[in-house]
Amino acid sequence: MQRRASATTEQYHHRCDDVAFNAEEAHNIVKECVDGVLTGEDYNHNINQWTTNIVEQSLTHLVKLGKAYKNTVTCAVVQNSAYGFHTASPGFWDTTPDGT
């Protein structure tokens, strides 16, 4: 059991010389995940599976890049309507090493 956990851990901890955050690459990965989950779907108030799939797929693909940074993904799905949507979410990070 110990050996298996160690092998799994090694899959996600690659040494990488290129540690710069590429916001465009991350954006494209997340957009592909969102499109893959929502394309062709009609809005349904029970969106838990959509948000779960979007977050899990996005994180999986970002981790597979093997970059030496932490990934955080949040997801909100709302119906496209004339009533609008307002949200606020604070985020704090060090802009020198971190990106968004």
Side-chain angles (χ1 to χ4, degrees):
M1 190 67 99
Q2 180 78 13
R3 176 177 237 156
R4 184 176 182 186
S6 180
T8 302
T9 303
E10 289 173 9
Q11 292 174 355
Y12 296 103
H13 296 291
H14 302 285
R15 283 211 38 92
C16 182
D17 294 330
D18 179 20
V19 295
F21 179 76
N22 185 330
E24 184 178 349
E25 181 179 40
H27 172 82
N28 290 337
I29 287 171
V30 173
K31 183 176 181 337
E32 287 178 16
C33 292
V34 170
D35 290 346
V37 171
L38 297 181
T39 297
E41 296 288 337
D42 290 328
Y43 182 80
N44 182 328
H45 291 287
N46 187 8
I47 60 170
N48 292 337
Q49 194 60 50
W50 287 345
T51 57
T52 298
N53 289 345
I54 290 168
V55 169
E56 287 179 356
Q57 289 178 27
S58 297
L59 284 173
T60 298
H61 290 293
L62 290 168
V63 168
K64 284 181 182 178
L65 293 175
K67 302 291 184 173
Y69 48 77
K70 179 179 11 177
N71 298 289
T72 304
V73 176
T74 59
C75 179
V77 176
V78 296
Q79 185 176 13
N80 186 7
S81 71
Y83 300 111
F85 173 71
H86 296 277
T87 185
S89 178
F92 303 97
W93 60 86
D94 184 346
T95 58
T96 303
D98 298 341
T100 180

